Amino acid sequence: MSRSAHPAGPRHADVLPEGHWTAPATDLNALDEKVWSRTVTRDADGAVSVGGIEVARLAEEFGTPAYILDESDFRARCRAWAEAFGADADVFYAGKAFLSRAVVRWLKEEGLNLDVCSGGELATALDAGMPAERIAFHGNNKTIAEIERAVTAGVGRIVLDSFQEIVRVAHVAQGLGTRQRVQIRVTVGVEAHTHEFIATAHEDQKFGIALADGQAAEAVRRALTLDGLELVGIHSHIGSQIFDMAGFEVSARRVVGLLAEIRDEHGVELPEIDLGGGLGIAYTSEDDPREPHEIAKALGDIVTRECESAGLATPRISVEPGRAIVGPTAFTLYEVGTIKPLEGLRTYVSVDGGMSDNIRTALYDAEYSVSLVSRSSDAGPMLVRVVGKHCESGDIVVKDAFLPSDLAPGDLIAVPATGAYCRSMASNYNHALRPPVVAVRDGRARVIVRRETEEDLLRLDVG
Ligand code: LLP
C-alpha cells in the first residue's frame, strides 16, 4: 500500500539475477529520518539507540521480536496534530492502528480524542480513563451490547453506518432515557489509496451510506425524526495511506453539499463534519508524507470555501488519523537467524518473527525498509528478502532490501514504521507468541504490552 518504488530495479520482479540490481546509492549505515522515529540515532560506535537506549540493551532486556515505541515521538506527533487543527477542530486518534492503556493516557494528556471501533477498544479506552465524551464509536456492525455500553458510558458520538443501525441506536438510547449524539457515515464516491483516487465502484463496499443515490439524504431524514438521536454531523472516510489531498477535496465538497441539502430540506445546519483518517506515512525513503499543518490548512481551506459558496456557517471539523500518528513512532526489532543465499537470486534472511507480527506485507504487498542496528558495517550491499519463521512461503516481512553482506546470525535488524496495524493485526499463527510493545523515553524503557507466553496460549485452550 505504500507508493514506495522498488529499492532498485522494477517493482514486483520476483526473480531477477543479482547483476540486474543496482546497489543502493545511500550508505547502508545511514538511518533516514523520514522512516525512523525521531529519537533514533546511530552512535559513534555504530550501534543504534532510541530514546537514549541502545537497541542491543533493549533486546537483552525484553527479548526479540519486540515492537519498540518512541513515546516522546508519539506525544510530539499528537501535539503537532492538535496544534495544527487548533481549538476550532478535533483530532480523534484512530485506535485500530494501535491501542493500549498507556496510549490512551498519552492521548488524554496531549489533548486528543479517540476513535474506537469495537467493544474491546471501548473497554480499553474507558479503563484507561479517557473521558467518554472524547470517544467516537465506529463500526459497520456494532452489536446491541456494544451500543448499550457506548450509550451508557456516554460516548461523545456514535457514527451510524446503516439504516438498521439508525433504528438500533435510537431504540437503545430511548430505552435508556437519553438522546445520543450521532454522525452519519456517508460514502462520497471517492476511494483513495496512496496517491491515486478513483471515482467509480467505491459505493460497492460495506461501510457507510451512499450519497450519490439519495440514500444518505434519506438516512438524515430518518435520523432527524427519532427522539433517541441528536444528529450532529456527517462523517466520511475515503481510504488509507493517502498522499494526495485531491480525494479529501472531493469528499469535503460532497459532504458540504449534503449539509446544504439538509439545510434546504429541514432548515437545520448540522454543526460538525468529520473527514476521517487515511493520511499516508513514509515506509521507505521514496514516500513523502505531508505534515499535519499542511493537512489542516488544506482541509480547513476546502471546507471554508465550500461552506462560503453554499452560504453555510463553517462546521466544526474533525479528523481521525491513526497511522499518521503511531506508524512512524515504532520499529520492530528482530534477531537474525538462518541466512540462506540463493545463488543468482537473493539472500533470504530469516528473523524470529514474521507474518504473525507484521501481516501487512503478505496482505497488502506493503513495502518496508530494514537496517542492521546492533552494529555498523563497511561490507558491501547484499540483496535480501527478510522472511519470518512461519510455515508459509508468503511469510515475508521486507520483500526487497539491501543489508550489509557480512550480516550474520545473531545480528539485530529493525524494520521501521511498524507502529500502525502491526501489533493491532498480530496473530498467533503457528502458536507464535505475540511480541511486547516496549515504550522508550528519556533513557527509560518499559513494557506497555507484555509478550505473550505459552501459558497465555494454553489458558485459552480449555481442553
Ligand atoms: N477513521 C475510520 C473511519 C477508519 O476506518 C480508519 C481506518 C481510520 C479513521 C484511520 O485510518 P488511518 O489514518 O490509520 O489510515 N489495516 C490497514 C488499514 C485499515 C484502515 C481501516 N480504517 C493497513 O494496515 O494499512
Side-chain angles (χ1 to χ4, degrees):
M1 298 206 13
S2 156
R3 67 168 167 178
S4 311
H6 203 282
R11 227 181 140 168
H12 302 309
D14 279 326
V15 179
L16 260 188
E18 209 144 340
H20 287 222
W21 293 76
T22 342
T26 47
D27 172 7
L28 287 182
N29 295 315
L31 299 169
D32 185 347
E33 58 185 26
K34 268 206 277 185
V35 296
W36 291 91
S37 72
R38 286 180 197 168
T39 72
V40 169
T41 54
R42 194 182 285 277
D43 309 338
D45 63 358
V48 170
S49 293
V50 55
I53 309 178
E54 268 191 27
V55 293
R57 260 189 57 208
L58 293 170
E60 224 174 83
E61 188 170 347
F62 303 105
T64 56
Y67 303 102
I68 310 296
L69 200 161
D70 187 337
E71 179 183 339
S72 54
D73 191 13
F74 184 98
R75 288 177 178 272
R77 287 175 196 275
C78 289
R79 283 196 294 276
W81 277 87
E83 279 163 26
F85 279 84
D88 297 331
D90 296 301
V91 180
F92 285 76
Y93 168 76
K96 67 205 83 183
F98 172 64
L99 197 65
S100 77
R101 289 189 279 203
V103 162
V104 174
R105 283 191 287 271
W106 301 341
L107 294 168
K108 190 173 146 193
E109 287 165 17
E110 302 300 346
L112 262 62
N113 306 292
L114 177 59
D115 142 10
V116 300
C117 67
S118 70
E121 289 182 1
L122 178 62
T124 305
L126 293 173
D127 186 83
M130 180 57 85
E133 64 273 14
R134 283 167 60 182
I135 299 175
F137 191 41
H138 272 278
N140 67 302
N141 187 22
K142 306 169 188 80
T143 64
I144 297 286
E146 285 172 329
I147 295 169
E148 278 169 358
R149 180 121 191 247
V151 174
T152 308
V155 298
R157 70 165 83 133
I158 294 182
V159 182
L160 302 173
D161 201 83
S162 66
F163 283 99
Q164 290 183 344
E165 199 171 81
I166 292 173
V167 179
R168 283 183 197 136
V169 173
H171 183 75
V172 169
Q174 219 177 350
L176 290 167
T178 180
R179 270 187 104 201
Q180 176 62 48
R181 285 168 47 87
V182 295
Q183 292 187 343
I184 292 177
R185 177 167 174 176
V186 301
T187 42
V188 291
V190 175
E191 190 188 351
H193 289 291
T194 316
H195 55 292
E196 91 281 13
F197 70 99
I198 334 157
T200 53
H202 32 268
E203 269 114 13
D204 188 3
Q205 56 150 312
K206 69 172 181 167
F207 293 111
I209 301 177
L211 209 142
D213 59 1
Q215 295 288 301
E218 177 57 23
V220 168
R221 240 166 254 138
R222 293 192 198 174
L224 286 173
T225 61
L226 293 167
D227 286 342
L229 305 181
E230 181 190 351
L231 179 62
V232 293
I234 300 296
H235 181 286
S236 159
H237 171 80
I238 57 170
S240 298
Q241 186 62 359
I242 305 166
F243 292 95
D244 190 338
M245 297 306 287
F248 286 104
E249 187 151 346
V250 178
S251 165
R253 202 178 316 129
R254 295 187 182 163
V255 168
V256 172
L258 179 61
L259 292 188
E261 272 181 47
I262 296 167
R263 184 235 3 237
D264 296 345
E265 182 178 340
H266 306 281
V268 177
E269 285 198 28
L270 297 185
E272 297 176 5
I273 66 172
D274 189 308
L275 295 172
L279 285 315
I281 64 163
Y283 284 103
T284 76
S285 301
E286 308 290 323
D287 296 323
D288 283 310
R290 286 172 175 248
E291 293 296 323
H293 67 267
E294 294 175 77
I295 295 161
K297 176 156 181 3
L299 295 182
D301 287 353
I302 300 164
V303 174
T304 309
R305 200 179 55 229
E306 293 299 321
C307 286
E308 266 169 20
S309 77
L312 287 165
T314 307
R316 191 173 177 86
I317 301 173
S318 52
V319 285
E320 297 169 339
R323 185 190 326 261
I325 291 179
V326 71
T329 69
F331 59 84
T332 316
L333 186 59
Y334 298 106
E335 185 179 304
V336 173
T338 301
I339 298 177
K340 196 181 279 184
L342 297 188
E343 197 50 41
L345 292 174
R346 71 185 82 240
T347 297
Y348 278 77
V349 173
S350 298
V351 293
D352 47 359
M355 64 193 299
S356 54
D357 58 71
N358 186 350
I359 190 66
R360 297 193 68 260
T361 308
L363 201 54
Y364 312 120
D365 208 13
E367 293 184 32
Y368 283 93
S369 32
V370 59
S371 292
L372 171 61
V373 290
S374 43
R375 61 183 174 93
S376 58
S377 167
D378 294 330
M382 153 174 89
L383 175 64
V384 301
R385 179 161 288 175
V386 179
V387 296
K389 55 180 285 156
H390 296 283
C391 296
E392 174 115 10
S393 45
D395 174 24
I396 297 170
V397 180
V398 186
K399 201 169 170 197
D400 300 295
F402 287 92
L403 282 172
S405 55
D406 64 350
L407 192 77
D411 277 334
L412 297 174
I413 60 175
V415 174
T418 58
Y421 304 108
C422 286
R423 179 59 179 79
S424 67
M425 296 206 296
S427 78
N428 290 122
Y429 181 43
N430 296 142
H431 282 199
L433 305 169
R434 286 179 294 176
V437 182
V438 179
V440 292
R441 182 185 177 189
D442 302 332
R444 288 193 16 243
R446 70 188 171 106
V447 173
I448 59 169
V449 178
R450 75 159 166 78
R451 186 185 301 284
E452 261 175 343
T453 61
E454 286 175 5
E455 254 171 45
D456 291 327
L457 285 184
L458 292 172
R459 201 175 300 141
L460 297 179
D461 181 343
V462 293

mmCIF file of all heavy atoms in Angstrom, residues 6 10-21 342-346 348 383 385 399-400:
data_model
loop_
_atom_site.group_PDB
_atom_site.id
_atom_site.type_symbol
_atom_site.label_atom_id
_atom_site.label_comp_id
_atom_site.label_asym_id
_atom_site.label_seq_id
_atom_site.Cartn_x
_atom_site.Cartn_y
_atom_site.Cartn_z
ATOM 1 N N HIS A 6 10.444 0.267 -5.850
ATOM 2 C CA HIS A 6 11.339 -0.824 -5.517
ATOM 3 C C HIS A 6 12.689 -0.229 -5.139
ATOM 4 O O HIS A 6 13.089 0.776 -5.708
ATOM 5 C CB HIS A 6 11.469 -1.663 -6.775
ATOM 6 C CG HIS A 6 11.870 -3.041 -6.486
ATOM 7 N ND1 HIS A 6 13.158 -3.346 -6.205
ATOM 8 C CD2 HIS A 6 11.157 -4.167 -6.399
ATOM 9 C CE1 HIS A 6 13.212 -4.648 -5.981
ATOM 10 N NE2 HIS A 6 12.016 -5.164 -6.086
ATOM 11 N N PRO A 10 12.945 -2.836 -11.214
ATOM 12 C CA PRO A 10 11.497 -2.811 -11.356
ATOM 13 C C PRO A 10 10.791 -3.400 -10.149
ATOM 14 O O PRO A 10 11.342 -4.228 -9.431
ATOM 15 C CB PRO A 10 11.240 -3.655 -12.596
ATOM 16 C CG PRO A 10 12.459 -4.488 -12.759
ATOM 17 C CD PRO A 10 13.582 -3.778 -12.118
ATOM 18 N N ARG A 11 9.552 -2.955 -9.944
ATOM 19 C CA ARG A 11 8.725 -3.464 -8.871
ATOM 20 C C ARG A 11 8.196 -4.842 -9.231
ATOM 21 O O ARG A 11 8.041 -5.146 -10.396
ATOM 22 C CB ARG A 11 7.537 -2.516 -8.717
ATOM 23 C CG ARG A 11 7.304 -2.147 -7.287
ATOM 24 C CD ARG A 11 6.139 -1.244 -7.215
ATOM 25 N NE ARG A 11 5.398 -1.668 -6.038
ATOM 26 C CZ ARG A 11 4.433 -0.974 -5.498
ATOM 27 N NH1 ARG A 11 4.056 0.140 -6.016
ATOM 28 N NH2 ARG A 11 3.834 -1.422 -4.430
ATOM 29 N N HIS A 12 7.901 -5.625 -8.230
ATOM 30 C CA HIS A 12 7.304 -6.947 -8.423
ATOM 31 C C HIS A 12 8.168 -7.874 -9.262
ATOM 32 O O HIS A 12 7.666 -8.779 -9.886
ATOM 33 C CB HIS A 12 5.923 -6.844 -9.070
ATOM 34 C CG HIS A 12 4.996 -6.007 -8.258
ATOM 35 N ND1 HIS A 12 4.797 -6.206 -6.924
ATOM 36 C CD2 HIS A 12 4.254 -4.943 -8.597
ATOM 37 C CE1 HIS A 12 3.954 -5.294 -6.460
ATOM 38 N NE2 HIS A 12 3.618 -4.518 -7.454
ATOM 39 N N ALA A 13 9.437 -7.610 -9.363
ATOM 40 C CA ALA A 13 10.294 -8.525 -10.099
ATOM 41 C C ALA A 13 10.744 -9.569 -9.097
ATOM 42 O O ALA A 13 11.611 -9.330 -8.282
ATOM 43 C CB ALA A 13 11.488 -7.777 -10.651
ATOM 44 N N ASP A 14 10.095 -10.716 -9.144
ATOM 45 C CA ASP A 14 10.363 -11.696 -8.107
ATOM 46 C C ASP A 14 11.682 -12.419 -8.310
ATOM 47 O O ASP A 14 12.362 -12.765 -7.378
ATOM 48 C CB ASP A 14 9.220 -12.710 -8.039
ATOM 49 C CG ASP A 14 8.077 -12.137 -7.246
ATOM 50 O OD1 ASP A 14 8.363 -11.385 -6.307
ATOM 51 O OD2 ASP A 14 6.931 -12.416 -7.569
ATOM 52 N N VAL A 15 11.996 -12.684 -9.550
ATOM 53 C CA VAL A 15 13.221 -13.410 -9.802
ATOM 54 C C VAL A 15 14.064 -12.592 -10.758
ATOM 55 O O VAL A 15 13.724 -12.435 -11.919
ATOM 56 C CB VAL A 15 12.912 -14.795 -10.413
ATOM 57 C CG1 VAL A 15 14.207 -15.536 -10.691
ATOM 58 C CG2 VAL A 15 12.017 -15.593 -9.498
ATOM 59 N N LEU A 16 15.092 -12.045 -10.250
ATOM 60 C CA LEU A 16 15.979 -11.230 -11.086
ATOM 61 C C LEU A 16 17.410 -11.628 -10.771
ATOM 62 O O LEU A 16 17.778 -11.692 -9.600
ATOM 63 C CB LEU A 16 15.809 -9.746 -10.739
ATOM 64 C CG LEU A 16 14.947 -8.880 -11.625
ATOM 65 C CD1 LEU A 16 15.105 -7.437 -11.192
ATOM 66 C CD2 LEU A 16 15.339 -9.010 -13.083
ATOM 67 N N PRO A 17 18.202 -11.881 -11.770
ATOM 68 C CA PRO A 17 19.596 -12.179 -11.471
ATOM 69 C C PRO A 17 20.219 -11.009 -10.731
ATOM 70 O O PRO A 17 19.891 -9.858 -11.019
ATOM 71 C CB PRO A 17 20.231 -12.347 -12.850
ATOM 72 C CG PRO A 17 19.109 -12.422 -13.821
ATOM 73 C CD PRO A 17 17.890 -11.857 -13.185
ATOM 74 N N GLU A 18 21.082 -11.300 -9.811
ATOM 75 C CA GLU A 18 21.612 -10.257 -8.940
ATOM 76 C C GLU A 18 22.285 -9.134 -9.721
ATOM 77 O O GLU A 18 22.239 -7.992 -9.320
ATOM 78 C CB GLU A 18 22.595 -10.849 -7.927
ATOM 79 C CG GLU A 18 22.616 -10.051 -6.657
ATOM 80 C CD GLU A 18 22.797 -10.928 -5.437
ATOM 81 O OE1 GLU A 18 22.534 -12.138 -5.531
ATOM 82 O OE2 GLU A 18 23.213 -10.409 -4.413
ATOM 83 N N GLY A 19 22.879 -9.484 -10.850
ATOM 84 C CA GLY A 19 23.552 -8.474 -11.659
ATOM 85 C C GLY A 19 22.616 -7.384 -12.134
ATOM 86 O O GLY A 19 23.045 -6.286 -12.485
ATOM 87 N N HIS A 20 21.300 -7.654 -12.184
ATOM 88 C CA HIS A 20 20.342 -6.671 -12.671
ATOM 89 C C HIS A 20 20.003 -5.621 -11.620
ATOM 90 O O HIS A 20 19.259 -4.713 -11.892
ATOM 91 C CB HIS A 20 19.041 -7.362 -13.117
ATOM 92 C CG HIS A 20 19.195 -8.117 -14.390
ATOM 93 N ND1 HIS A 20 18.261 -8.097 -15.381
ATOM 94 C CD2 HIS A 20 20.203 -8.896 -14.832
ATOM 95 C CE1 HIS A 20 18.674 -8.858 -16.379
ATOM 96 N NE2 HIS A 20 19.838 -9.360 -16.064
ATOM 97 N N TRP A 21 20.501 -5.815 -10.445
ATOM 98 C CA TRP A 21 20.177 -4.881 -9.370
ATOM 99 C C TRP A 21 21.316 -3.904 -9.179
ATOM 100 O O TRP A 21 22.470 -4.294 -9.145
ATOM 101 C CB TRP A 21 19.940 -5.635 -8.057
ATOM 102 C CG TRP A 21 18.719 -6.462 -8.128
ATOM 103 C CD1 TRP A 21 18.578 -7.651 -8.787
ATOM 104 C CD2 TRP A 21 17.469 -6.164 -7.564
ATOM 105 N NE1 TRP A 21 17.299 -8.110 -8.653
ATOM 106 C CE2 TRP A 21 16.583 -7.216 -7.902
ATOM 107 C CE3 TRP A 21 16.976 -5.107 -6.797
ATOM 108 C CZ2 TRP A 21 15.270 -7.243 -7.507
ATOM 109 C CZ3 TRP A 21 15.662 -5.149 -6.393
ATOM 110 C CH2 TRP A 21 14.830 -6.197 -6.760
ATOM 111 N N LEU A 342 20.712 -17.607 -2.102
ATOM 112 C CA LEU A 342 20.272 -18.374 -3.259
ATOM 113 C C LEU A 342 21.033 -17.832 -4.456
ATOM 114 O O LEU A 342 20.795 -16.699 -4.894
ATOM 115 C CB LEU A 342 18.756 -18.262 -3.471
ATOM 116 C CG LEU A 342 17.870 -18.810 -2.355
ATOM 117 C CD1 LEU A 342 16.417 -18.811 -2.780
ATOM 118 C CD2 LEU A 342 18.294 -20.219 -1.946
ATOM 119 N N GLU A 343 21.924 -18.607 -4.925
ATOM 120 C CA GLU A 343 22.838 -18.211 -5.996
ATOM 121 C C GLU A 343 22.104 -17.546 -7.159
ATOM 122 O O GLU A 343 21.152 -18.109 -7.702
ATOM 123 C CB GLU A 343 23.567 -19.496 -6.460
ATOM 124 C CG GLU A 343 24.836 -19.276 -7.261
ATOM 125 C CD GLU A 343 25.817 -18.308 -6.613
ATOM 126 O OE1 GLU A 343 25.996 -18.386 -5.381
ATOM 127 O OE2 GLU A 343 26.382 -17.461 -7.344
ATOM 128 N N GLY A 344 22.498 -16.345 -7.506
ATOM 129 C CA GLY A 344 21.928 -15.653 -8.663
ATOM 130 C C GLY A 344 20.565 -15.045 -8.396
ATOM 131 O O GLY A 344 19.991 -14.400 -9.277
ATOM 132 N N LEU A 345 19.995 -15.244 -7.211
ATOM 133 C CA LEU A 345 18.668 -14.695 -6.908
ATOM 134 C C LEU A 345 18.788 -13.614 -5.834
ATOM 135 O O LEU A 345 18.912 -12.447 -6.126
ATOM 136 C CB LEU A 345 17.724 -15.808 -6.448
ATOM 137 C CG LEU A 345 17.350 -16.831 -7.520
ATOM 138 C CD1 LEU A 345 16.539 -17.951 -6.916
ATOM 139 C CD2 LEU A 345 16.561 -16.162 -8.633
ATOM 140 N N ARG A 346 18.785 -14.059 -4.605
ATOM 141 C CA ARG A 346 18.869 -13.120 -3.484
ATOM 142 C C ARG A 346 19.192 -13.934 -2.243
ATOM 143 O O ARG A 346 19.164 -15.171 -2.279
ATOM 144 C CB ARG A 346 17.544 -12.375 -3.316
ATOM 145 C CG ARG A 346 16.439 -13.247 -2.780
ATOM 146 C CD ARG A 346 15.097 -12.542 -2.739
ATOM 147 N NE ARG A 346 14.435 -12.576 -4.036
ATOM 148 C CZ ARG A 346 14.105 -11.485 -4.727
ATOM 149 N NH1 ARG A 346 14.350 -10.302 -4.239
ATOM 150 N NH2 ARG A 346 13.511 -11.591 -5.904
ATOM 151 N N TYR A 348 17.985 -14.978 1.479
ATOM 152 C CA TYR A 348 16.857 -14.985 2.413
ATOM 153 C C TYR A 348 17.389 -14.865 3.834
ATOM 154 O O TYR A 348 18.191 -15.682 4.275
ATOM 155 C CB TYR A 348 16.027 -16.273 2.246
ATOM 156 C CG TYR A 348 15.062 -16.169 1.088
ATOM 157 C CD1 TYR A 348 15.500 -16.298 -0.224
ATOM 158 C CD2 TYR A 348 13.713 -15.884 1.308
ATOM 159 C CE1 TYR A 348 14.628 -16.159 -1.293
ATOM 160 C CE2 TYR A 348 12.831 -15.745 0.247
ATOM 161 C CZ TYR A 348 13.287 -15.882 -1.050
ATOM 162 O OH TYR A 348 12.428 -15.735 -2.097
ATOM 163 N N LEU A 383 21.544 -8.046 -1.621
ATOM 164 C CA LEU A 383 20.098 -8.011 -1.848
ATOM 165 C C LEU A 383 19.434 -9.086 -0.988
ATOM 166 O O LEU A 383 19.787 -10.263 -1.095
ATOM 167 C CB LEU A 383 19.804 -8.261 -3.328
ATOM 168 C CG LEU A 383 18.334 -8.364 -3.706
ATOM 169 C CD1 LEU A 383 17.607 -7.052 -3.460
ATOM 170 C CD2 LEU A 383 18.187 -8.785 -5.159
ATOM 171 N N ARG A 385 15.788 -10.676 1.123
ATOM 172 C CA ARG A 385 14.356 -10.728 1.437
ATOM 173 C C ARG A 385 14.291 -11.152 2.893
ATOM 174 O O ARG A 385 14.845 -12.205 3.269
ATOM 175 C CB ARG A 385 13.658 -11.730 0.527
ATOM 176 C CG ARG A 385 12.180 -11.853 0.808
ATOM 177 C CD ARG A 385 11.453 -12.465 -0.364
ATOM 178 N NE ARG A 385 11.365 -11.517 -1.482
ATOM 179 C CZ ARG A 385 10.860 -11.811 -2.672
ATOM 180 N NH1 ARG A 385 10.399 -13.025 -2.903
ATOM 181 N NH2 ARG A 385 10.798 -10.903 -3.626
ATOM 182 N N LYS A 399 10.159 -7.317 1.424
ATOM 183 C CA LYS A 399 10.260 -8.079 0.179
ATOM 184 C C LYS A 399 11.632 -7.926 -0.485
ATOM 185 O O LYS A 399 12.242 -8.906 -0.873
ATOM 186 C CB LYS A 399 9.156 -7.606 -0.765
ATOM 187 C CG LYS A 399 8.840 -8.598 -1.830
ATOM 188 C CD LYS A 399 7.572 -8.191 -2.540
ATOM 189 C CE LYS A 399 7.368 -9.041 -3.770
ATOM 190 N NZ LYS A 399 6.421 -8.438 -4.682
ATOM 191 N N ASP A 400 12.066 -6.717 -0.650
ATOM 192 C CA ASP A 400 13.357 -6.478 -1.295
ATOM 193 C C ASP A 400 14.062 -5.348 -0.581
ATOM 194 O O ASP A 400 13.485 -4.269 -0.425
ATOM 195 C CB ASP A 400 13.155 -6.051 -2.750
ATOM 196 C CG ASP A 400 12.433 -7.104 -3.557
ATOM 197 O OD1 ASP A 400 12.997 -8.193 -3.742
ATOM 198 O OD2 ASP A 400 11.292 -6.850 -3.987
#
